[in-house]
Amino acid sequence: MLLLLSTSIFLVSCKSNTKPVEKETYMMGTVVQLKIYGTNAEKATELALKRISDIESKMSVNIETSEITKLNAKAGISGQKLSRDTYSVIEKSVQYSKLSGEALDATIEPIVKLWGIGTDKERVPSKDEIQEKLKLVDYKDILLDKKNSTVQLRRTGQAIDLGAIAKGYTADELKKVLIDNKISSALINLGGNVFAVGSKTDGTSWNIGIQNPLDTRGQYIGTISVTDKSVVTSGNYERYFIANGKRYHHIFDPKTGYPSEAGLISTTIVSDKSIDGDALSTSTYILGLSKGLKLIESIKGVDAIFITKDKKVYVTAGLKDSFNLTNKEFIYEKR
Ligand code: ADP
Ligand code: MG
């Protein structure tokens, strides 16, 4: 994954304020797109890419030297000292496990590995295998020692996967890098995890397309107009395989060990912080429509767009003026 760092596909630079620096590359297991405006854009882009690679090298389960790989290897034995980045993401994940009624659970890793979705080992495991691995999934076994910035997993075989939340954290950190470099207008897209920084250079809002979960990438059901917001989507189209005519996707219900089938096929969260959006888009996908709406409506400053498998689009009150449904195959259900 890291090798791909150097294979940037696209780079345009310009000194003027209106032409952005655009960069598209593959990192964190996904397509990363940056569009950065302003006189410091070139330098800010370079620093942003360094920051992504820094976070990935600490948190990826696919990198042997990462802090997460080391922590997982010591499960049931001892704790692993962590950087502030990794510690804070694990801590946040535990908070969201509680808040989401245990829908989000970073100890899902043994289940993720068993299914192998997106790898050359993907398959439908037997019920027995799933039951066996499910015993290892329990966020309450994440033992946090804040004073020493150390985390231990209680039992041998347990492991953490931060895939549901790390991109959100990264987007927030990239925004900080941009602000530090006096950038006031930028779009960050980490595989559907979008941060619209500031406004467009003419002062108007950004228009972010909401992917049609039933169509090819780049086909939208509508748009949302935002200024300085994170817009994160979880969907069953992101990573999946088909076996015996059934689609198996990568968001697992920690209660069953199977891909979550709660009636939603896409959840978008609009928030000020992308780590919240990332945690909540995955959580609400698992919770389903009514519990998901209840959760979002209980959190101030957070809004959502949920799409059900029968093509209904539920939009929370805070977005009623900014969401525009353009695909007439979908039915708009205002809250
Ligand atoms: P994406 O990676 O497509 O943006 P999400 O943010 O919804 O999607 O995260 C999905 C990833 O999170 C999976 O690939 C897996 O690594 C991990 N994951 C799957 N189910 C859970 C869960 N219930 N709790 C925590 N992490 C999960
Ligand atoms: Mg997520």
Side-chain angles (χ1 to χ4, degrees):
M1 214 184 300
L2 280 178
L3 281 176
L4 285 161
L5 248 176
S6 53
T7 61
S8 59
I9 300 161
F10 192 41
L11 178 71
V12 178
S13 75
C14 186
K15 286 274 173 282
S16 99
N17 269 349
T18 48
K19 262 212 170 162
V21 170
E22 291 193 60
K23 179 91 180 168
E24 182 171 310
T25 182
Y26 190 86
M27 293 166 94
M28 302 190 105
T30 197
V31 179
V32 169
Q33 292 168 314
L34 303 175
K35 192 173 188 176
I36 302 176
Y37 294 83
T39 40
N40 288 335
E42 196 102 42
K43 182 168 165 241
T45 304
E46 200 183 301
L47 293 171
L49 291 172
K50 273 208 184 109
R51 187 70 175 116
I52 302 175
S53 147
D54 170 36
I55 294 173
E56 182 176 25
S57 71
K58 288 169 177 164
M59 299 185 202
S60 173
V61 280
N62 301 315
I63 296 175
E64 273 190 34
T65 51
S66 81
E67 293 177 3
I68 292 298
T69 303
K70 288 181 189 160
L71 188 165
N72 290 344
K74 290 182 186 168
I77 303 166
S78 61
Q80 171 66 35
K81 180 119 179 133
L82 300 171
S83 61
R84 236 197 297 166
D85 285 327
T86 309
Y87 187 89
S88 68
V89 173
I90 295 176
E91 191 181 39
K92 195 58 134 186
S93 176
V94 170
Q95 284 168 13
Y96 272 106
S97 294
K98 293 175 190 156
L99 195 69
S100 68
E102 314 189 344
L104 194 82
D105 192 327
T107 64
I108 198 82
E109 197 273 354
I111 293 288
V112 173
K113 191 132 127 240
L114 182 64
W115 285 84
I117 296 176
T119 72
D120 53 6
K121 296 194 181 77
E122 59 192 16
R123 68 187 177 97
V124 182
S126 72
K127 280 195 178 111
D128 287 349
E129 286 174 294
I130 292 173
Q131 282 321 308
E132 207 45 44
K133 295 295 181 195
L134 209 49
K135 290 181 193 155
L136 297 166
V137 178
D138 189 351
Y139 75 94
K140 291 188 224 71
D141 290 333
I142 301 175
L143 310 175
L144 296 161
D145 176 354
K146 191 161 192 153
K147 213 174 101 221
N148 297 305
S149 190
T150 297
V151 173
Q152 182 181 344
L153 287 163
R154 199 189 306 269
R155 293 179 281 142
T156 316
Q158 290 187 309
I160 282 179
D161 175 333
L162 296 176
I165 187 166
K167 278 185 275 168
Y169 178 76
T170 306
D172 290 333
E173 289 301 301
L174 296 188
K175 185 188 164 182
K176 280 188 203 162
V177 168
L178 301 187
I179 301 298
D180 287 349
N181 285 276
K182 312 218 160 23
I183 302 294
S184 54
S185 180
L187 274 182
I188 298 164
N189 186 356
L190 312 174
N193 203 305
V194 173
F195 208 122
V197 178
S199 59
K200 288 200 276 188
T201 48
D202 64 4
T204 60
S205 301
W206 297 103
N207 284 313
I208 310 294
I210 305 299
Q211 172 68 38
N212 180 344
L214 302 172
D215 207 338
T216 47
R217 204 168 288 264
Q219 298 299 312
Y220 303 122
I221 62 147
T223 56
I224 171 165
S225 136
V226 290
T227 301
D228 212 32
K229 290 278 181 196
S230 158
V231 182
V232 179
T233 301
S234 287
N236 65 356
Y237 54 87
E238 283 290 349
R239 206 169 287 171
Y240 65 90
F241 72 102
I242 291 174
N244 311 319
K246 197 174 152 41
R247 180 194 288 233
Y248 295 96
H249 63 82
H250 72 315
I251 302 172
F252 296 101
D253 185 338
K255 295 194 171 72
T256 65
Y258 283 84
S260 170
E261 299 292 348
L264 295 175
I265 52 174
S266 159
T267 52
T268 297
I269 305 294
V270 180
S271 58
D272 292 326
K273 287 219 151 196
S274 202
I275 192 164
D276 298 322
D278 203 1
L280 286 167
S281 66
T282 309
S283 299
T284 53
Y285 190 97
I286 296 162
L287 289 173
L289 182 65
S290 66
K291 283 186 190 162
L293 281 173
K294 211 170 142 199
L295 175 61
I296 296 307
E297 288 170 345
S298 75
I299 308 171
K300 222 177 130 221
V302 174
D303 277 288
I305 301 164
F306 294 156
I307 307 177
T308 63
K309 62 179 177 202
D310 52 354
K311 296 190 179 177
K312 288 189 177 137
V313 184
Y314 290 80
V315 179
T316 60
L319 299 179
K320 67 176 191 315
D321 297 327
S322 51
F323 176 69
N324 182 22
L325 182 71
T326 51
N327 187 323
K328 299 295 174 240
E329 282 173 36
F330 289 80
I331 306 151
Y332 195 168
E333 302 275 350
K334 284 196 185 104
R335 290 292 288 172

